[in-house]
Amino acid sequence: MAMYSIINLLCGIGLFLIGMTLMSEYTTLTFGEKLKDILSALTKNKISGVLTGLGVTSVIQSSCATTVTAVSFVGAGILSLSGAVGIVMGANIGTTVTSLIIAFNFSDVAPLAVFLGTILKMFSKSEKLQSAGMITVGFGLLFIGLNTMSAAFESLKDNPSFLSFVAKTDGKLQGVLTGLIMTAIMQSSSATIGILQALSMRNIIPIDTAFYIILGQNIGAVIPVIISSVGANKTAKQVGVIHLLFNMIGTLIFLVLMEFVPFNHIFSFAGSGSMKISLFHITFNVVSTLLLLPTSDLLIKISEKLTVGFVFYKKKIS
């Protein structure tokens, strides 16, 4: 019985991931060229960079795609490092839209979305309508996957081995580390949030523990950006370092804040655990941006020293 539930859980995660991927890829395919124009034209300063990163990521639902594009633009000299800092911070806020969509739970219309999207893809001659169809299919699969995960968790919630595994995340540092590892493996912070929301639907994981996991997943989300900057020039590498510094400092700030601020109580008006998780995710990124945006010049200086130090060390040992 447990093995069957685990298979269903993996199936749910797969459907959720492919749904999110379809939404992101076909939206990027539709707006890809405009994305380049928007990023290069609207990032004249840090504030406009934040708004641009937020807007673009809200549409394409991939902070990784937005940030990696920023890395490539900085490397090509199209985008300033100051503008890229704003994009990174705005992209972090924009990616929270996925968790908000999940919290509103459109599961009832998910099968219809898959059907209508498939019809558009198969019978439309317009490439834009075909892309819209695949985005709609992705939207439906995301919620079907979420429902499948939730049902699997319901079957597993009385399993001693599963409960023992979940219990190991019940702690501050354990939660942060769990979120970091999950996101590093899945290469998607939105996927980690979705799993947390599915767990909360069955009351399997304490909300406070979920909050600490969210802190960790924000650090784990930086890994694809760091990887994308490995072969880039020094300035482009700084974007990855800045992204890492931003999320790590934000996490440290919230680890202190959570000792004094009862976020679970503050978000009690939200009702469902899924919505509380989404609101905390949004709060983390908005507050971190408000606190750290004024210090972006300092982040740039620190990232420069760290990048130069790494390059020097690499040359020394080679």
Side-chain angles (χ1 to χ4, degrees):
M1 186 66 180
M3 182 58 68
Y4 178 76
S5 298
I6 291 171
I7 292 172
N8 275 349
L9 174 61
L10 294 175
C11 178
I13 292 173
L15 287 170
F16 183 90
L17 287 172
I18 195 65
M20 195 164 53
T21 301
L22 287 174
M23 290 174 66
S24 177
E25 286 188 355
Y26 277 90
T27 307
T28 304
L29 185 66
T30 304
F31 300 101
E33 291 303 316
K34 292 180 181 178
L35 168 64
K36 295 178 181 178
D37 296 335
I38 290 169
L39 287 181
S40 58
L42 299 180
T43 51
K44 305 303 180 185
N45 56 60
K46 290 176 283 191
I47 302 296
S48 64
V50 170
L51 295 175
T52 303
L54 192 163
V56 169
T57 307
S58 296
V59 172
I60 68 172
Q61 275 311 287
S62 175
S63 60
C64 180
T66 305
T67 309
V68 168
T69 302
V71 168
S72 64
F73 278 18
V74 170
I78 299 172
L79 185 64
S80 70
L81 197 53
S82 180
V85 173
I87 288 175
V88 166
M89 295 182 180
N92 275 17
I93 299 173
T95 197
T96 62
V97 172
T98 301
S99 67
L100 198 57
I101 292 172
I102 292 171
F104 281 118
N105 201 346
F106 295 98
S107 298
D108 290 343
V109 298
L112 180 61
V114 172
F115 174 74
L116 292 177
T118 303
I119 295 297
L120 279 175
K121 173 64 178 175
M122 291 180 65
F123 298 106
S124 176
K125 294 182 180 179
S126 166
E127 288 187 6
K128 288 186 177 180
L129 284 178
Q130 287 181 6
S131 292
M134 292 308 294
I135 293 168
T136 306
V137 169
F139 177 84
L141 289 177
L142 186 148
F143 282 99
I144 291 172
L146 186 70
N147 272 353
T148 305
M149 281 193 289
S150 179
F153 284 136
E154 175 66 22
S155 300
L156 286 168
K157 73 177 185 180
D158 295 323
N159 183 280
S161 298
F162 178 72
L163 292 177
S164 175
F165 173 77
V166 172
K168 290 178 182 178
T169 67
D170 192 10
K172 299 169 187 177
L173 294 181
Q174 295 98 316
V176 172
L177 187 61
T178 298
L180 194 161
I181 293 171
M182 285 176 66
T183 308
I185 292 172
M186 303 187 77
Q187 295 286 288
S188 171
S189 59
S190 294
T192 309
I193 296 293
I195 291 172
L196 284 180
Q197 289 175 299
L199 282 165
S200 73
M201 289 176 184
R202 300 297 178 179
N203 297 314
I204 293 173
I205 190 167
I207 294 299
D208 288 327
T209 299
F211 290 167
Y212 285 109
I213 293 175
I214 289 171
L215 298 184
Q217 66 86 20
N218 277 282
I219 300 175
V222 180
I223 291 174
V225 181
I226 296 289
I227 292 171
S228 74
S229 67
V230 168
N233 61 29
K234 180 176 74 69
T235 309
K237 282 185 173 70
Q238 283 183 249
V239 180
V241 175
I242 289 168
H243 196 186
L244 180 61
L245 286 171
F246 173 73
N247 283 2
M248 287 185 69
I249 294 170
T251 295
L252 291 173
I253 290 171
F254 266 76
L255 281 172
V256 175
L257 277 178
M258 289 170 71
E259 294 294 319
F260 306 98
V261 181
F263 286 104
N264 192 6
H265 178 70
I266 291 172
F267 297 141
S268 59
F269 68 90
S272 70
S274 182
M275 182 60 79
K276 288 180 182 179
I277 287 170
S278 176
L279 291 176
F280 180 80
H281 188 34
I282 294 168
T283 300
F284 170 84
N285 286 292
V286 171
V287 171
S288 295
T289 297
L290 291 175
L291 291 175
L292 295 177
L293 185 61
T295 69
S296 59
D297 290 337
L298 178 61
L299 290 177
I300 290 174
K301 290 179 181 177
I302 295 172
S303 71
E304 184 176 12
K305 291 183 182 298
L306 290 173
T307 305
V308 169
F310 175 76
V311 171
F312 176 77
Y313 175 75
K314 189 176 180 182
K315 286 182 179 178
K316 188 176 179 180
I317 63 173
S318 61

